[in-house]
């Protein structure tokens, strides 16, 4: 790619014409296929455009509509809690949606308190919209994108009904799995959860609690451990002392840590204690002991998010009913330790 064009925030006919030493009119005719222009010149223009990674139709749209036809995918630093498989699937899903609609995908990796990569994309108008693969606890990203009038879709949940969001049915899925474990574990089911201020953790807890209500039982809140990663040993001590024979982990990372801690303690799984997870991932597939878990097709979920965003960018008024939430599927025949 020509350095001048590479460093430009916006591709223009002037820049293309100058680099090829032809007129703007010639560039326009070559791209549109309309008007008189020699075959050799037209081929040279189209070849140059292709070298920049564009197809003639996307280049024409970009020049005519002041759009980049780029979609940004925002992921947190994947070292954070071992979330690489989930965010990899998010990127694959959004890219699949983009490719179908002749958009390109741009990646922005952010970390706590450092949004420089995101701000460069937004302030430079290098993307037309964004897919957020995780909401931030303080809502700064959502507020910033609204101030910048940058369209976005969130994969996950946000309490603001005005935010376009796509998510699996966390509550019903967790209720279904907890209900099954209550039938098989009459002594109860403990819960090891993440931070209480995260929407996804709240929804998973609500599903867990709903299963108790439907069974005519009451949740023992002393066996619900929020932010459990920070006090895992203490939580496991209480769980083992309580006599319950099942523990539900709100996600795969907590589940892996629980399994390792129980192994070190010599606690048999699933003999002494059954362990289930409210989220499945590649992280659990390589575990020595099979783990019963809820499975969400993250790639499909992310593709729906990409489709929704592109419909917004194309000026449609999306009806969210057309983007039916991906079902949370109980994976009863895969890596099942529940017997």
């Amino acid at each position: 790619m020509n350095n001048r064009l590479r460093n430009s925030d916006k591709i223009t006919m002037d820049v293309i014409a100058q680099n090829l030493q032809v007129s703007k009119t010639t560039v326009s005719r070559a791209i549109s296929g309309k008007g008189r222009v020699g075959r050799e010149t037209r081929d040279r223009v189209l070849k140059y455009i292709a070298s920049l990674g564009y197809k003639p139709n996307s280049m024409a749209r970009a020049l005519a509509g002041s759009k980049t036809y780029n979609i940004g995918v925002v992921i947190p630093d994947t070292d954070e809690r071992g979330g690489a498989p989930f965010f990899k699937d998010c990127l694959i899903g959004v890219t699949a949606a983009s490719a179908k609609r002749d958009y390109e995908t741009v990646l922005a990796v952010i970390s706590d308190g450092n949004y420089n990569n995101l701000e460069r994309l937004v302030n430079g108008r290098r993307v037309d919209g964004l897919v957020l693969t995780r909401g931030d606890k303080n809502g700064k990203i959502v507020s910033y994108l609204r101030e910048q009038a940058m369209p976005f879709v969130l994969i996950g949940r946000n309490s603001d009904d005005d935010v376009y969001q796509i998510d699996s049915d966390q509550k019903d899925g967790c209720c279904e799995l907890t209900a099954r474990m209550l039938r098989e574990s009459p002594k109860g089911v403990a819960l090891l959860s993440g931070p209480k201020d995260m929407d996804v953790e709240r929804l998973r807890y609500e599903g867990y609690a709903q299963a108790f209500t439907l069974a005519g039982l009451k949740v023992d809140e002393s066996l619900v451990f929020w932010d459990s990663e920070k006090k895992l040993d203490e939580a496991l001590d209480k769980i083992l002392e309580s006599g319950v024979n099942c523990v539900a982990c709100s996600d795969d990372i907590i589940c892996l840590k629980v399994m390792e801690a129980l192994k070190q303690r010599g606690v048999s799984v699933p003999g002494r204690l059954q362990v289930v997870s409210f989220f499945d991932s590649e992280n659990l597939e390589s575990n020595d002991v099979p783990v019963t878990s809820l499975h969400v097709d993250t790639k499909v979920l992310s593709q729906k998010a990409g489709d929704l965003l592109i419909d917004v960018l194309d000026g449609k008024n999306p009806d969210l009913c057309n983007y039916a939430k991906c079902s949370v599927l109980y994976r009863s025949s895969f890596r099942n330790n529940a017997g």
Side-chain angles (χ1 to χ4, degrees), residues 115-127 144:
Y115 305 144
N116 291 340
N117 291 332
L118 172 62
E119 290 173 348
R120 276 195 290 269
L121 289 182
V122 175
N123 294 343
R125 292 294 160 176
R126 296 175 183 176
V127 295
Y144 166 70

Side-chain angles (χ1 to χ4, degrees), residues 271-283:
R272 164 63 181 85
L273 193 66
Q274 293 189 25
V275 179
V276 300
S277 175
F278 287 161
F279 185 80
D280 185 27
S281 76
E282 294 175 12
N283 292 318

Side-chain angles (χ1 to χ4, degrees), residues 1-12 15-16 19-20 47-54 59 70 104:
M1 184 185 295
N2 179 279
N3 286 335
R4 176 184 180 126
L5 196 53
R6 184 196 302 273
N7 295 326
S8 173
D9 284 341
K10 181 181 176 183
I11 298 172
T12 67
V15 174
I16 296 173
N19 278 279
L20 295 179
K47 182 178 179 180
Y48 180 71
I49 290 171
S51 73
L52 304 177
Y54 283 86
M59 173 62 80
N70 291 332
E104 303 294 332

Side-chain angles (χ1 to χ4, degrees), residues 25-152:
T25 301
T26 297
V27 173
S28 176
R29 289 175 176 174
I31 293 173
S32 66
K34 299 177 181 179
R36 297 178 58 184
V37 60
R39 174 176 294 180
E40 182 179 343
T41 300
R42 183 175 187 274
D43 289 345
R44 188 158 65 96
V45 172
L46 297 182
K47 182 178 179 180
Y48 180 71
I49 290 171
S51 73
L52 304 177
Y54 283 86
K55 296 177 182 178
N57 60 334
S58 62
M59 173 62 80
R61 291 186 303 168
L63 293 173
S66 298
K67 293 179 69 173
T68 66
Y69 287 86
N70 291 332
I71 287 177
V73 180
V74 183
I75 67 172
D77 187 334
T78 51
D79 287 338
E80 177 190 346
R81 301 188 73 248
F86 172 80
F87 297 114
K88 179 197 73 175
D89 286 348
C90 286
L91 184 59
I92 291 172
V94 176
T95 300
S98 301
K100 289 191 305 181
R101 307 278 284 274
D102 210 12
Y103 279 74
E104 303 294 332
T105 305
V106 180
L107 180 64
V109 179
I110 62 175
S111 57
D112 286 343
N114 186 348
Y115 305 144
N116 291 340
N117 291 332
L118 172 62
E119 290 173 348
R120 276 195 290 269
L121 289 182
V122 175
N123 294 343
R125 292 294 160 176
R126 296 175 183 176
V127 295
D128 298 325
L130 295 160
V131 174
L132 305 180
T133 58
R134 176 180 290 175
D136 56 327
K137 296 178 185 178
N138 52 27
K140 286 185 178 179
I141 293 179
V142 170
S143 297
Y144 166 70
L145 295 179
R146 282 177 160 169
E147 290 173 0
Q148 297 296 318
M150 174 63 67
F152 67 93

Side-chain angles (χ1 to χ4, degrees), residues 237-251:
D237 285 342
K238 292 181 178 179
I239 289 171
L240 292 170
E241 290 171 4
S242 72
V244 301
N245 54 1
C246 182
V247 57
C249 305
S250 68
D251 65 34

Side-chain angles (χ1 to χ4, degrees), residues 195-216:
K196 197 171 186 177
D197 59 353
M198 292 184 65
D199 287 337
V200 66
E201 301 294 350
R202 175 182 54 78
L203 288 167
R204 288 170 179 169
Y205 169 78
E206 288 177 0
Y208 165 84
Q210 184 178 46
F212 280 79
T213 300
L214 293 175

